[in-house]
């Protein structure tokens, strides 16, 4: 996994990494004093599909929905009474 899409400046990770189908998520709180409570180590096991594939499927569905809605809007604009 690379941070190419976040330009190496984000600590955020994919939502699908921790919440994919079949994933078992285990949060381990930091034990060192002075570390913010917001940051913790998350261990994920048992995922049915890797999160990268889920992100691609999710993006493909969004693209298909946007293209199909543009197509239907175009059809409606040329023939509004169909």
């Amino acid at each position: 996994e690379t941070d190419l899409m976040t330009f190496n400046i984000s600590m955020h990770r994919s939502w699908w990494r921790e919440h994919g189908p079949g994933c078992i998520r285990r949060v381990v709180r930091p034990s060192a004093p002075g570390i913010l409570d917001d940051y913790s180590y998350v261990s994920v096991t048992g995922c049915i599909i890797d999160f990268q594939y889920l992100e691609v499927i999710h993006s493909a569905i969004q693209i298909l929905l946007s293209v199909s809605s543009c197509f239907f809007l175009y059809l409606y604009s040329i023939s509004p009474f169909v």
Side-chain angles (χ1 to χ4, degrees):
E1 175 183 350
T2 66
D3 290 328
L4 180 65
M5 296 301 287
T6 60
F7 303 108
N8 295 327
I9 59 172
S10 176
M11 291 183 62
H12 299 289
R13 297 289 180 229
S14 170
W15 185 86
W16 288 111
R17 175 189 281 265
E18 300 175 15
H19 300 93
C23 292
I24 299 169
R25 183 176 183 258
R26 188 178 65 129
V27 177
V28 179
R29 298 282 175 205
S31 60
I35 295 178
L36 296 174
D37 289 334
D38 293 343
Y39 299 106
S40 59
Y41 176 74
V42 177
S43 171
V44 179
T45 57
C47 296
I48 296 171
I49 302 174
D50 287 339
F51 74 96
Q52 294 95 337
Y53 298 118
L54 289 170
E55 287 186 357
V56 169
I57 293 168
H58 186 194
S59 298
I61 290 171
Q62 288 180 327
I63 291 168
L64 288 173
L65 286 173
S66 65
V67 169
S68 64
S69 60
C70 289
F71 177 71
F72 287 122
L73 285 174
Y74 170 73
L75 287 179
Y76 181 75
S77 69
I78 61 172
S79 177
F81 299 108
V82 172

